[in-house]
C-alpha cells in the first residue's frame, strides 16, 4: 500500500519553474511609473532580466547567489530606465562634487513627488493583498512580453504611419515605424551639413566707420519660460530694448557650451562634440571684431572655476578677465560656495575703466551667474540666505537697467546685446526635475535676446521691434556685421535694414546627454546611447 508512495518520492521530478516572487512588486512599480510617463522603460532588457529570475536552478545556494546578483542588476536597470543622465555623465562632471551640502540636499528634495509616493504606497498595499490569490508572475511576464511586441514597429505600425500619432494604447509610449525615425535622422544630418556652409561675411575694416563699442551680456539661467513663471516677462529692461528676438534658440542648456556657441557665432550651428575641437578663425566672433579694430575684453561676476568655465572661454581666443570678481564685494554665495559680485558693480566698474582707455572701439564678453540655481543672497551682516528666483531676477534686471543709464550718460555710442546662456528650468516635467538641464528642451533653450543701441542717434520706437522667426547665434553675428557696415555710411543706423532677413535657424539643441529637435511644431528628444526619437511630453499633460 505504501510502495507507490515510496516510488513517487524516489522518482526524478521535472524542474520547477519559480515565480518572480517579490520581484513582481519591482516590475509592477515600473509599470506604474511607465503609465505616469516617469520612465523610459526598455522592454527587452527588462524581459531578459525577468527571464533570468525565473530560470530553474538546482539547489538553494545557487538561488541565493542569483538573488545577490539580481539586486545590483535591478538597481542598475531601474536607473537605466529613468530619464536621468547616463551614470558616466555624472562621473564626467566632477564639478558636481563642489556643490554645497545645502544645495545637494535641496536637489535631492526635488526628486520627492508626494503624489507618486502615494500611488506607490497604494500599489504596495494592493500587491500585498493580491499576491496570495493572483499569480502576479503571469501578469508581469505577460506585460513585459506585450511591451516587447508593442515596441516592434513591423508588428504594430503600418509602413507609413505618422510618428506622432502612433501611440501604445495602454502606456502612452510612442510606437514609431522605423522609417519615421530614419526621416528625423536624415533631416538632422542635412541640418548640420547646411549649417557647416553658413558664415557671416564681415565688411572690410574702414577708418571712415564711426566708432562704437559692442557689449555682449551673457546671462546664465534666463529663459522666456522662467520670466513667465515669476511673472516678469513684462519687465522694464526688455521694454527698453530696440530689438527683441522672440524665438532665439541657445542650442544648449549648459553654460560652457552656450558661451562657446556665442563666441563662435560667425558660423552656422555646429554639433555639440565639435565645440571642443579647434574652430576656424572666421567662426570666432570676437576675432572678426578684432579684425575690424575692436579690442576684446572679458568680464565675469564670478571666478570662472566651476566646470572649467574660464578655461573654455580662453580656449576661444578670449583674454583673461580685465577685472576679477574679487575686486568687488560679495553679493551672492554661489551654489558651490564661491563669491559672486553684483552685476551693476562689475559692469559699472569696468565701464569707468573703459572710458579712460585710448582704444576707439572695444568688444566685451560679460558673463553673469547671478541667477544660477542654488545661489544665495548675502545679507548686510555677511550671512548668506536662500533666495527665490524672482528677487534675484528682479535685481539682475534692475542692475542692467542702471548700467544702461550709465552708458547713456557717458554719451559714447554702444551696441548692447543681452544674450542669455539658457534657462533655469524652474518648471520640472515628466522627464526632468526642476533645475535639471540635461535635456535641452525648448522651455530651457528659448531665451530672451535683445539689442539696445545707445548714443547712435537711432530713433527710439514706442515698443521694441520683435523678430518672430526662429533664430540663433548666426543672426547676432550678422546683426553686428551689418551695424558696422551701417556706421560706415551714417552715424544713425536704419533699424529696419539691420534686422531685415536675418539668418534663420531651426530648433536643434544638444548636450552630451541628449538631442532635441522640432519638426512640424513638435519637439522630439533622443537620449545619448539610443537610436530612437521620442516625442517630448508636454509638462501639463
Amino acid at each position: 500500500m505504501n510502495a507507490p508512495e515510496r516510488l513517487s518520492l524516489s522518482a526524478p521530478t521535472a524542474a520547477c519553474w519559480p515565480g518572480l516572487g517579490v520581484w513582481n512588486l519591482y516590475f509592477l512599480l515600473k509599470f506604474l511609473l511607465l503609465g505616469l510617463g516617469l520612465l523610459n522603460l526598455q522592454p527587452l532588457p527588462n524581459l531578459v532580466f525577468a527571464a533570468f529570475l525565473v530560470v530553474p536552478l538546482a539547489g538553494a545556494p545557487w538561488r541565493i547567489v542569483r538573488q545577490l546578483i539580481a539586486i545590483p542588476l535591478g538597481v542598475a536597470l531601474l536607473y537605466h530606465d529613468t530619464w536621468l543622465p547616463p551614470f558616466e555623465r555624472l562621473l564626467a562632471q566632477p564639478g558636481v562634487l563642489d556643490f554645497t551640502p545645502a544645495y545637494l540636499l535641496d536637489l535631492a528634495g526635488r526628486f520627492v513627488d508626494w503624489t507618486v509616493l502615494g500611488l506607490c504606497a497604494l500599489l504596495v498595499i494592493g500587491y500585498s493583498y493580491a499576491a496570495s490569490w493572483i499569480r502576479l508572475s503571469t501578469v508581469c511576464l505577460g506585460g513585459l512580453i506585450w511591451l516587447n511586441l508593442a515596441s516592434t514597429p513591423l508588428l504594430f505600425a503600418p509602413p507609413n504611419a505618422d510618428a506622432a500619432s502612433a501611440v501604445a494604447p495602454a502606456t502612452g509610449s510612442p510606437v514609431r515605424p522605423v522609417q519615421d525615425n530614419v526621416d528625423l535622422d536624415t533631416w538632422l544630418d542635412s541640418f548640420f551639413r547646411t549649417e557647416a556652409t553658413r558664415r557671416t561675411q564681415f565688411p572690410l575694416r574702414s577708418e571712415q566707420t564711426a566708432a562704437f563699442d559692442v557689449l555682449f551680456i551673457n546671462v546664465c539661467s534666463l529663459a522666456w519660460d522662467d520670466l513667465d513663471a515669476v511673472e516678469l516677462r513684462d519687465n522694464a529692461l526688455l521694454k527698453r530694448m530696440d530689438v527683441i528676438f522672440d524665438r532665439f534658440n541657445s542650442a544648449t542648456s549648459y553654460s560652457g557650451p552656450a558661451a562657446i556657441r556665442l563666441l563662435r557665432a560667425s558660423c552656422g550651428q555646429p554639433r555639440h562634440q565639435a565645440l571642443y575641437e579647434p574652430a576656424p578663425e572666421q567662426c570666432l566672433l570676437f576675432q572678426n571684431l578684432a579684425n575690424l579694430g575692436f579690442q576684446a575684453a572679458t568680464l565675469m561676476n564670478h571666478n570662472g572655476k566651476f566646470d572649467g568655465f574660464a578655461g573654455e572661454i580662453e580656449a576661444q581666443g578670449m583674454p583673461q578677465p580685465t577685472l576679477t570678481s574679487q575686486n568687488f564685494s560679495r553679493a551672492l554665495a554661489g551654489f558651490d560656495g564661491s563669491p559672486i559680485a553684483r552685476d551693476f558693480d562689475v559692469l559699472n566698474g569696468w565701464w569707468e575703466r573703459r572710458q579712460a582707455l585710448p582704444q576707439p572701439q572695444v568688444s566685451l564678453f560679460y558673463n553673469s551667474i547671478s541667477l544660477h540655481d542654488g545661489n544665495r543672497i548675502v545679507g548686510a551682516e555677511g550671512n548668506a540666505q536662500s533666495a527665490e528666483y524672482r528677487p534675484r531676477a528682479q535685481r539682475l534686471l534692475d542692475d542692467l537697467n542702471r548700467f544702461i543709464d550709465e552708458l547713456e550718460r557717458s554719451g559714447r555710442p554702444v551696441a548692447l546685446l543681452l544674450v542669455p546662456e539658457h534657462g533655469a528650468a524652474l518648471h520640472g516635467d515628466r522627464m526632468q526635475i526642476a533645475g535639471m538641464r540635461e535635456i535641452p528642451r525648448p522651455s530651457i533653450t528659448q531665451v530672451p535676446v535683445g539689442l539696445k543701441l545707445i548714443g547712435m542717434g537711432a530713433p527710439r520706437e514706442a515698443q521694441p521691434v520683435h523678430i518672430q522667426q526662429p533664430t540663433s547665434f548666426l543672426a547676432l553675428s550678422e546683426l553686428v556685421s551689418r551695424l558696422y557696415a551701417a556706421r560706415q555710411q551714417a552715424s544713425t543706423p536704419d533699424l529696419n535694414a539691420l534686422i531685415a532677413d536675418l539668418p534663420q535657424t531651426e530648433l536643434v539643441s544638444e548636450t552630451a546627454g541628449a538631442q532635441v529637435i522640432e519638426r512640424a511644431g513638435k519637439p522630439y528628444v533622443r537620449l545619448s546611447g539610443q537610436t530612437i526619437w521620442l516625442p517630448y511630453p508636454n509638462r501639463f499633460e
Side-chain angles (χ1 to χ4, degrees), residues 9-343:
L9 290 173
S10 60
T13 58
C16 178
W17 286 76
L20 288 169
V22 73
W23 287 101
N24 280 306
L25 182 58
Y26 171 85
F27 289 108
L28 289 173
L29 286 170
K30 279 194 168 184
F31 293 156
L32 171 63
L33 296 176
L34 175 64
L36 295 174
L38 299 176
L39 276 190
N40 180 29
L41 190 143
Q42 306 298 303
L44 184 57
N46 279 274
L47 184 59
V48 171
F49 181 56
F52 168 73
L53 294 171
V54 299
V55 169
L57 293 176
W62 286 110
R63 291 193 288 272
I64 292 174
V65 170
R66 173 166 61 186
Q67 292 300 322
L68 293 176
I69 296 174
I71 291 173
L73 282 179
V75 172
L77 184 57
L78 177 60
Y79 187 90
H80 176 70
D81 284 340
T82 68
W83 298 109
L84 295 172
F87 195 68
E88 58 267 22
R89 282 282 295 146
L90 299 180
L91 297 178
Q93 299 187 54
V96 174
L97 301 177
D98 295 329
F99 290 169
T100 63
Y103 184 43
L104 288 173
L105 183 62
D106 177 48
L107 290 175
R110 298 180 193 180
F111 284 95
V112 177
D113 187 319
W114 294 108
T115 300
V116 174
L117 288 179
L119 291 173
C120 290
L122 289 176
L123 179 63
V124 172
I125 294 172
Y127 164 80
S128 302
Y129 173 72
S132 61
W133 57 280
I134 295 179
R135 189 166 176 78
L136 293 175
S137 294
T138 302
V139 175
C140 291
L141 290 172
L144 290 173
I145 292 172
W146 184 86
L147 287 174
N148 274 273
L149 294 176
S151 65
T152 305
L154 295 179
L155 295 177
F156 281 79
N160 296 315
D162 188 339
S165 61
V167 177
T171 66
S173 300
V175 180
R176 251 183 324 284
V178 174
Q179 186 59 45
D180 289 321
N181 199 68
V182 172
D183 287 346
L184 293 178
D185 286 340
T186 301
W187 178 87
L188 184 60
D189 290 339
S190 175
F191 169 84
F192 283 120
R193 284 197 302 271
T194 301
E195 290 298 300
T197 66
R198 301 211 294 173
R199 58 181 44 88
T200 303
Q201 298 297 329
F202 280 83
L204 296 176
R205 181 173 179 174
S206 172
E207 300 302 327
Q208 304 303 316
T209 302
F212 66 103
D213 295 338
V214 181
L215 312 183
F216 290 90
I217 309 299
N218 194 218
V219 177
C220 175
S221 303
L222 181 65
W224 286 116
D225 189 73
D226 303 322
L227 292 175
D228 288 336
V230 296
E231 300 180 346
L232 285 177
R233 176 184 278 258
D234 189 27
N235 63 79
L237 177 66
L238 294 184
K239 286 181 178 180
R240 197 172 186 177
M241 293 291 165
D242 294 304
V243 178
I244 293 291
F245 291 78
D246 291 329
R247 298 183 60 198
F248 188 97
N249 183 40
S250 68
T252 185
S253 52
Y254 284 133
S255 297
I260 295 173
R261 290 187 182 279
L262 172 57
L263 296 175
R264 296 186 179 187
S266 296
C267 286
Q269 182 172 323
R271 295 181 182 270
H272 175 80
Q273 60 266 31
L275 298 177
Y276 300 95
E277 301 170 358
E281 185 175 296
Q282 63 266 30
C283 295
L284 300 177
L285 175 58
F286 279 74
Q287 181 58 52
N288 287 319
L289 289 172
N291 295 338
L292 298 178
F294 291 82
Q295 178 178 316
T298 303
L299 192 65
M300 298 182 287
N301 73 334
H302 55 102
N303 59 27
K305 293 180 180 179
F306 182 77
D307 213 19
F309 182 83
E312 291 183 345
I313 299 304
E314 292 179 21
Q316 311 307 312
M318 296 298 293
Q320 293 187 352
T322 305
L323 298 172
T324 64
S325 59
Q326 285 76 14
N327 294 115
F328 306 94
S329 59
R330 186 179 66 146
L332 295 161
F335 54 93
D336 58 349
S338 63
I340 302 173
R342 185 157 181 170
D343 292 286

Side-chain angles (χ1 to χ4, degrees), residues 512-533:
Q515 293 176 306
V516 174
I517 64 176
E518 185 177 285
R519 298 298 296 144
K522 298 178 180 179
Y524 293 86
V525 59
R526 178 168 64 184
L527 302 181
S528 176
Q530 299 185 10
T531 59
I532 301 299
W533 290 96

Side-chain angles (χ1 to χ4, degrees), residues 246-499:
D246 291 329
R247 298 183 60 198
F248 188 97
N249 183 40
S250 68
T252 185
S253 52
Y254 284 133
S255 297
I260 295 173
R261 290 187 182 279
L262 172 57
L263 296 175
R264 296 186 179 187
S266 296
C267 286
Q269 182 172 323
R271 295 181 182 270
H272 175 80
Q273 60 266 31
L275 298 177
Y276 300 95
E277 301 170 358
E281 185 175 296
Q282 63 266 30
C283 295
L284 300 177
L285 175 58
F286 279 74
Q287 181 58 52
N288 287 319
L289 289 172
N291 295 338
L292 298 178
F294 291 82
Q295 178 178 316
T298 303
L299 192 65
M300 298 182 287
N301 73 334
H302 55 102
N303 59 27
K305 293 180 180 179
F306 182 77
D307 213 19
F309 182 83
E312 291 183 345
I313 299 304
E314 292 179 21
Q316 311 307 312
M318 296 298 293
Q320 293 187 352
T322 305
L323 298 172
T324 64
S325 59
Q326 285 76 14
N327 294 115
F328 306 94
S329 59
R330 186 179 66 146
L332 295 161
F335 54 93
D336 58 349
S338 63
I340 302 173
R342 185 157 181 170
D343 292 286
F344 177 78
D345 293 343
V346 179
L347 285 168
N348 195 53
W350 174 83
W351 183 243
E352 291 176 353
R353 184 166 178 159
R354 183 272 171 273
Q355 293 181 86
L357 295 176
Q359 284 79 10
Q361 300 184 120
V362 299
S363 55
L364 173 70
F365 172 81
Y366 172 69
N367 183 262
S368 168
I369 63 168
S370 297
L371 300 184
H372 195 288
D373 193 35
N375 289 348
R376 293 166 296 154
I377 291 180
V378 176
E381 298 179 355
N383 297 323
Q385 303 173 348
S386 61
E388 297 295 333
Y389 182 87
R390 181 186 169 93
R392 290 186 286 122
Q394 186 64 69
R395 187 161 77 168
L396 170 71
L397 297 172
D398 292 343
D399 280 358
L400 295 181
N401 252 324
R402 287 179 61 196
F403 180 57
I404 291 177
D405 290 340
E406 295 299 320
L407 295 178
E408 291 178 338
R409 275 193 285 269
S410 72
R412 298 186 64 92
V414 176
L416 182 144
L417 291 107
L418 172 67
V419 190
E421 297 173 352
H422 53 72
L426 294 181
H427 286 121
D429 59 25
R430 298 193 306 185
M431 298 181 75
Q432 296 187 119
I433 62 169
M436 189 173 182
R437 294 178 277 106
E438 181 67 14
I439 301 175
R441 64 179 190 248
S443 60
I444 300 175
T445 63
Q446 296 287 301
V447 295
V449 170
L451 166 69
K452 176 65 177 176
L453 299 178
I454 301 166
M456 297 189 189
R460 177 70 173 93
E461 299 290 341
Q463 295 292 332
V465 178
H466 287 260
I467 298 176
Q468 299 180 344
Q469 292 75 22
T471 56
S472 195
F473 296 102
L474 186 64
L476 298 184
S477 177
E478 178 67 23
L479 185 59
V480 173
S481 172
R482 292 181 184 182
L483 181 58
Y484 182 86
R487 296 282 288 176
Q488 292 180 0
Q489 307 298 325
S491 60
T492 302
D494 183 347
L495 193 61
N496 291 326
L498 288 179
I499 64 174

